[in-house]
Amino acid sequence: MGRKVLWFVAAYSLLDAMNVVFAMGLTGAGDSWWISQATLVLTAAACAGLMVIHWYASSLYGYWLVATLFIGLSGCMWIWRFRGNRWESMRVVETVMV
């Protein structure tokens, strides 16, 4: 059982690295509103998935699967948003007339 769980941990760790890099890059570029809204939706979906696993098929593998899918889907959404290039036109610091 430990060997299978470690595969989930390895996948989760790699996907989380992608998640953090792209989410923080977009947030730093000024796209924090979209990131926060997408995170809210994805977190609600992950919680619903965890509840379904808990009610119908309570298993350690199921919980890890939901967590890994959550992190993987988050990272894929950030990459999709990053490739859309909308963040390039956002202004983080406004110019002030002196």
Side-chain angles (χ1 to χ4, degrees):
M1 181 182 233
R3 185 178 300 196
K4 290 180 183 178
V5 170
L6 283 176
W7 279 105
F8 280 113
V9 171
Y12 181 93
S13 297
L14 291 173
L15 293 171
D16 192 37
M18 173 184 65
N19 185 21
V20 169
V21 167
F22 282 99
M24 293 304 112
L26 287 170
T27 302
D31 206 1
S32 57
W33 175 255
W34 192 87
I35 293 288
S36 64
Q37 296 302 307
T39 300
L40 180 67
V41 170
L42 284 171
T43 302
C47 288
L50 288 173
M51 287 191 302
V52 167
I53 295 290
H54 181 72
W55 288 333
Y56 294 109
S58 184
S59 74
L60 181 63
Y61 300 137
Y63 294 130
W64 270 103
L65 179 64
V66 170
T68 304
L69 287 175
F70 166 70
I71 290 297
L73 288 174
S74 297
C76 289
M77 282 187 69
W78 309 153
I79 288 173
W80 172 74
R81 182 69 173 186
F82 181 80
R83 292 180 57 99
N85 295 334
R86 290 200 56 206
W87 57 273
E88 290 179 347
S89 63
M90 295 181 180
R91 299 188 55 88
V92 178
V93 179
E94 298 293 329
T95 56
V96 179
M97 299 290 287
V98 179

